[in-house]
Amino acid sequence: MDTEGTYDSRGTRRDAVPRPATPPVPAVPPGPPADMNPPAPASPPAQPTPPAAPPTPAPVDSVPPPVPPAPPVPPPPGTAPGATLSTGPASPAVQSPFLTWLRTPRTAGGPGVWTFGHRPKPVEDPERVPTRRLVSGALIAFLCAWLLWALLSNNYLGNWWRLPLILFFPDSWRGTEGGALVADGYVWLVKGLIAFGFGRVGHWPELARRLAEPLLRHFRQRRETTQRTQPETDPAQWPHLRAAGAHGVADRLAAEARAGVMNDVDHARLERAWESVRAQPGRLAAFTDTVLREGASACAHPSGVRDLPVRTARHDLIAGQVRLGRATDDLRNPYEFRDVSMALDPAVLGTSLLAVGPPGAGKTGRLVRPVVESLCLQALAGRVAVVAVGPAGAGIGPDDAFDVVVKIGRPESAYDLDLYGGTTDPDEAAGVLAEALVGDMAHGLPGGDSRRAATALAQLLGPYRAAHGRFPSVPELRELLDGSQTALAALRAALDEAGQQAQARELDARVRQAAAAGDVGALLADRIALLDRPAFADFFDTRGGRRPFSLRALEHPLRVRIDLPERGHAEASRMLARLVLAQFTECAVGRADRSLFACLVLDDASHTVTPEALRGIQRLRSANAGAVLTLRTLDDVPEALRSALLGAVGCRMAYAGVTTWDGARFAEVWGTAWVETRDVTDRQIISDEPMTKVLHFIRRVVTGKAATVQSVTVRKVERERWSASELAHSVPPGHAVLSVTSVRGESAPPVLVDLRG
């Protein structure tokens, strides 16, 4: 496209994503966002065409996303399959679901609150009578008032209420016009007194005030809706483009929105492109030309895809949120969060998230997949780079929802994983690789950490790269770590031939240290042997025979999924998870362009949390990046790091079924809060009066209980927001307790959320 390379991925740098081999074919979006709730289709939709076979692997550090074929053109959003596609404007009487979604107001309600259609709750009033009770009381009071007036007016209670008329007015007034007026006035006065008295008892003024509040709220919403549909404020008319003078672009996009050929991803992508134009006004001409030519498909993702093949959660790309569930109407939840939808977005994921729950609690289906789905949608809009890591077959998402799928240990995988993270610095590569190999046992190494392991690896990686222009493969590195005389001699000869004397001294130092007792080289050889297996023979290639994926490509809006070979290779899977986590923290922080939010979603982070990993996670917040980690239990983290892990992340999630000792850690990090308690005391009434004693005796015989009097004591005490016992035993299945913190420092208290809605 003609946007001066803003959204084109050109292979001009070693860590860039090359342009696809063929130009992407724009596709009409397959449907509205999940929030639009289109009517059920009359017949099953056509299955999408399977993606094309990947091209022949090429030795590049970062891979281009495959270009899928053009899918069949579906009808506009909100219509059933098989309907005729119309390019004209929609009928004004029927508003498309996309326009409804676009015009829905979004009100900020604090971090973690779903803003789509959110209405802040009124200020809490502890003395407020529930509306249902207020209506019933008012109705009963009205019936009593009507009954009393009926009895008075029909003389069932006598004429005593007319006594003031008889005493204070002469008989000569009776039958006259003045007397009739006085009598009528007196009757209305009595009616007013009855209405006033029963109105006070039935809270009629309060009921009238509440009825006025729904009416005012209704008229206010109608006024806001009317204002949002005005040309100068209607988001579907792109007023900010018109204010900048781009009337032609705004007219073209407004027509596309009315015609039903634009979806929420297109809107978010074009808004992102406009942000880049505002940052660099010189791109305005290219942006205008592209949008006028291509319409809603302009500024497309390098893959050419404009939506995901399937959505399983509700998304709002204007706010960048994915809805997780609804906070329950529970007394343990703060008043302002009760019955409020909760969501996650990059603003809170930038502080990283830790979720703990037993197997089957719903971590993958109700957290990982919705979050990955949201990040993939935002990647298509040019806002996010996402890397999802999990066991093969975990259900993180379908293959065609990603640009790159690395299936380690499976021969059908079209992509490889760069073992060294795409770096050319031997020291950096050694540090990351040492973290993956021995990071989980750093405290058991001589010297107390993994620095000696990194030094030992650097003493081999540096010379090997100087001699061969690349890093060693897994079998070659294993031979060198094992101290193979043949491999070491060949490397020394290659260094002498290349004149690399400094690197030769590094190799000599490694040979001397290998002969010392307790050298770390033997341990590194044993750990790297876990990757030197027949199942991984075609992976971690450094000779350029495959297409390795490097996390150096995080500067591009990529959607990446890495499948770990957990079955049969559990220890190797954990090692690779530590490798990806170490590479991600290193590459995300080292990006030159941090405009994209980078997120790593690690499903099952067992035995991957190390001291170095914690330091890396803490640095992500300032680099516009974050990580989502799930654990079955905190026991999968070294005891010395459990509290540090909970302190390093800003978002914490405890699922139903956590153990009491895991709950104790969460209770500690969530702290205490001031709550109001009511202590009710029953005290038996003892009387010396004979008649009272008789009455108390009769009551005890009839009710079986002694006469008592209650005393209520109200006080404020400081208690844990959620105790360990409550987290372990009081969280219902399908629920979780969630607390979030935004990158701006705003925090929300822990809230019980129903994840099933």
Side-chain angles (χ1 to χ4, degrees):
M1 56 169 290
D2 301 327
T3 52
E4 299 184 358
T6 307
Y7 289 89
D8 287 337
S9 299
R10 308 180 187 277
T12 57
R13 299 179 311 198
R14 191 174 185 272
D15 59 345
V17 178
R19 181 188 296 273
T22 58
V25 181
V28 179
D35 293 316
M36 299 179 187
N37 298 323
S43 59
Q47 296 295 326
T49 306
T56 304
V60 293
D61 286 324
S62 53
V63 294
V67 181
V73 178
T79 59
T84 304
L85 180 63
S86 174
T87 57
S91 172
V94 180
Q95 182 171 280
S96 70
F98 171 75
L99 293 180
T100 302
W101 168 83
L102 186 61
R103 290 166 175 163
T104 300
R106 291 158 177 83
T107 305
V113 174
W114 176 253
T115 62
F116 181 82
H118 172 67
R119 293 289 179 180
K121 301 179 68 173
V123 179
E124 183 180 15
D125 183 7
E127 304 298 329
R128 182 182 177 93
V129 180
T131 303
R132 181 177 299 179
R133 188 189 306 172
L134 194 65
V135 171
S136 60
L139 181 60
I140 292 173
F142 172 77
L143 293 176
C144 292
W146 175 80
L147 177 61
L148 177 60
W149 174 247
L151 293 175
L152 291 176
S153 61
N154 291 287
N155 295 327
Y156 286 108
L157 299 179
N159 283 329
W160 58 267
W161 62 280
R162 299 180 183 270
L163 187 60
L165 282 177
I166 299 173
L167 294 178
F168 295 101
F169 294 95
D171 294 340
S172 59
W173 280 35
R174 298 179 184 178
T176 63
E177 184 177 354
L181 290 175
V182 171
D184 291 342
Y186 180 76
V187 169
W188 282 106
L189 176 62
V190 173
K191 289 182 179 180
L193 291 175
I194 293 175
F196 177 78
F198 282 94
R200 291 291 300 271
V201 174
H203 301 285
W204 292 357
E206 175 67 15
L207 179 60
R209 185 180 64 83
R210 294 197 192 180
L211 290 176
E213 289 178 357
L215 290 175
L216 290 176
R217 186 181 301 111
H218 174 71
F219 287 119
R220 190 181 301 114
Q221 292 176 358
R222 291 190 58 182
R223 184 174 65 254
E224 292 177 357
T225 303
T226 303
Q227 291 176 352
R228 292 183 66 85
T229 56
Q230 296 299 321
E232 62 274 8
T233 57
D234 184 6
Q237 297 295 329
W238 303 80
H240 50 292
L241 295 183
R242 300 182 188 277
H247 295 279
V249 174
D251 291 339
R252 174 65 189 273
L253 295 180
E256 299 262 307
R258 290 193 304 270
V261 294
M262 178 183 291
N263 66 358
D264 55 344
V265 177
D266 297 330
H267 180 271
R269 188 184 65 251
L270 292 168
E271 288 285 0
R272 169 73 177 177
W274 178 247
E275 290 175 4
S276 68
V277 170
R278 292 178 59 187
Q280 300 184 17
R283 297 176 175 175
L284 177 60
F287 173 79
T288 302
D289 178 70
T290 303
V291 175
L292 290 177
R293 184 175 64 253
E294 302 179 10
S297 62
C299 310
H301 187 264
S303 65
V305 178
R306 295 167 57 188
D307 203 352
L308 296 181
V310 63
R311 299 190 187 188
T312 60
R314 296 182 61 187
H315 304 276
D316 182 21
L317 293 186
I318 291 181
Q321 291 185 318
V322 55
R323 184 182 181 275
L324 292 184
R326 182 174 294 275
T328 61
D329 190 5
D330 192 283
L331 292 178
R332 290 169 295 191
N333 284 344
Y335 165 77
E336 62 271 17
F337 288 95
R338 295 175 193 168
D339 204 29
V340 172
S341 295
M342 304 300 292
L344 296 176
D345 58 81
V348 298
L349 293 178
T351 62
S352 298
L353 183 146
L354 173 67
V356 179
K363 300 187 298 297
T364 301
R366 293 170 179 162
L367 173 65
V368 172
R369 177 155 186 175
V371 169
V372 171
E373 197 173 89
S374 174
L375 295 174
C376 286
L377 287 171
Q378 295 182 64
L380 292 178
R383 296 177 175 179
V384 167
V386 56
V387 180
V389 183
I396 297 178
D399 290 0
D400 48 357
F402 298 90
D403 303 313
V404 175
V405 179
V406 182
K407 302 178 180 179
I408 301 177
R410 298 175 64 179
E412 68 271 18
S413 177
Y415 301 98
D416 193 3
L417 180 65
D418 192 331
L419 192 66
Y420 302 100
T423 184
T424 58
D425 184 358
D427 293 323
E428 181 181 344
V432 173
L433 189 56
E435 172 68 13
L437 296 178
V438 297
D440 58 332
M441 53 185 305
H443 292 288
L445 294 178
D449 54 27
S450 58
R451 286 178 295 178
R452 291 189 61 186
T455 301
L457 286 171
Q459 290 172 339
L460 295 175
L461 297 182
Y464 195 96
R465 179 171 180 80
H468 300 284
R470 61 178 177 87
F471 288 123
S473 62
V474 170
E476 293 167 340
L477 181 58
R478 181 183 179 184
E479 287 186 356
L480 293 173
L481 290 171
D482 274 332
S484 171
Q485 296 300 322
T486 303
L488 291 173
L491 179 56
R492 179 58 188 265
L495 290 173
D496 291 340
E497 182 179 354
Q500 297 285 345
Q501 299 303 320
Q503 297 293 345
R505 288 195 297 271
E506 282 281 285
L507 181 61
D508 292 341
R510 172 88 290 270
V511 173
R512 290 193 302 270
Q513 293 174 7
D519 180 63
V520 74
L523 175 61
L524 292 172
D526 291 340
R527 302 307 294 268
I528 199 68
L530 295 173
L531 301 180
D532 190 17
R533 304 294 300 161
F536 308 134
D538 296 332
F539 288 86
F540 317 119
D541 180 63
T542 59
R543 293 184 175 89
R546 290 180 63 89
R547 302 179 69 184
F549 168 71
S550 168
L551 289 175
R552 296 283 169 180
L554 288 178
E555 294 185 357
H556 304 275
L558 282 178
R559 304 167 294 161
V560 182
R561 195 189 79 205
I562 301 176
D563 293 345
L564 301 178
E566 187 173 7
R567 293 184 178 179
H569 303 278
E571 190 61 33
S573 178
R574 296 167 184 168
M575 185 184 303
L576 291 171
R578 289 194 299 272
L579 176 67
V580 174
L581 178 58
Q583 290 184 358
F584 178 83
T585 55
E586 190 71 26
C587 295
V589 174
R591 291 180 299 168
D593 181 8
R594 297 180 178 179
S595 60
L596 292 180
F597 175 72
C599 188
L600 171 69
V601 181
L602 185 54
D603 191 17
D604 190 6
S606 302
H607 304 284
T608 61
V609 179
T610 65
E612 187 61 33
L614 284 181
R615 286 189 284 268
I617 291 174
Q618 290 173 333
R619 291 186 297 164
L620 294 177
R621 182 169 179 173
S622 60
N624 194 23
V628 177
L629 311 177
T630 68
L631 290 171
R632 296 184 179 94
T633 173
L634 288 175
D635 290 341
D636 292 333
V637 178
E639 185 175 2
L641 301 178
R642 294 170 191 172
S643 296
L645 173 61
L646 287 170
V649 298
C651 305
R652 307 168 188 93
M653 203 167 183
Y655 278 78
V658 296
T659 60
T660 306
W661 40 93
D662 282 351
R665 296 281 185 177
F666 279 97
E668 180 183 4
V669 75
W670 279 330
T672 60
W674 289 97
V675 296
E676 187 178 88
T677 62
R678 299 171 64 91
D679 297 330
V680 181
T681 305
D682 288 338
R683 181 175 59 84
Q684 183 177 354
I685 302 175
I686 300 176
S687 177
D688 296 332
E689 297 294 332
M691 183 58 68
T692 306
K693 286 185 177 181
V694 172
L695 293 176
H696 289 178
F697 175 76
I698 295 174
R699 178 177 179 179
R700 182 179 300 176
V701 172
V702 174
T703 64
K705 298 180 180 179
T708 59
V709 62
Q710 287 186 343
S711 61
V712 180
T713 303
V714 180
R715 57 179 180 173
K716 285 191 174 182
V717 297
E718 191 175 12
R719 289 185 177 176
E720 291 179 322
R721 299 178 185 271
W722 282 86
S723 67
S725 179
E726 287 177 329
L727 289 171
H729 305 294
S730 299
V731 179
H735 292 63
V737 181
L738 169 68
S739 68
V740 299
T741 303
S742 70
V743 293
R744 295 183 296 272
E746 301 172 324
S747 61
V751 177
L752 179 63
V753 181
D754 185 357
L755 304 174
R756 300 168 300 179

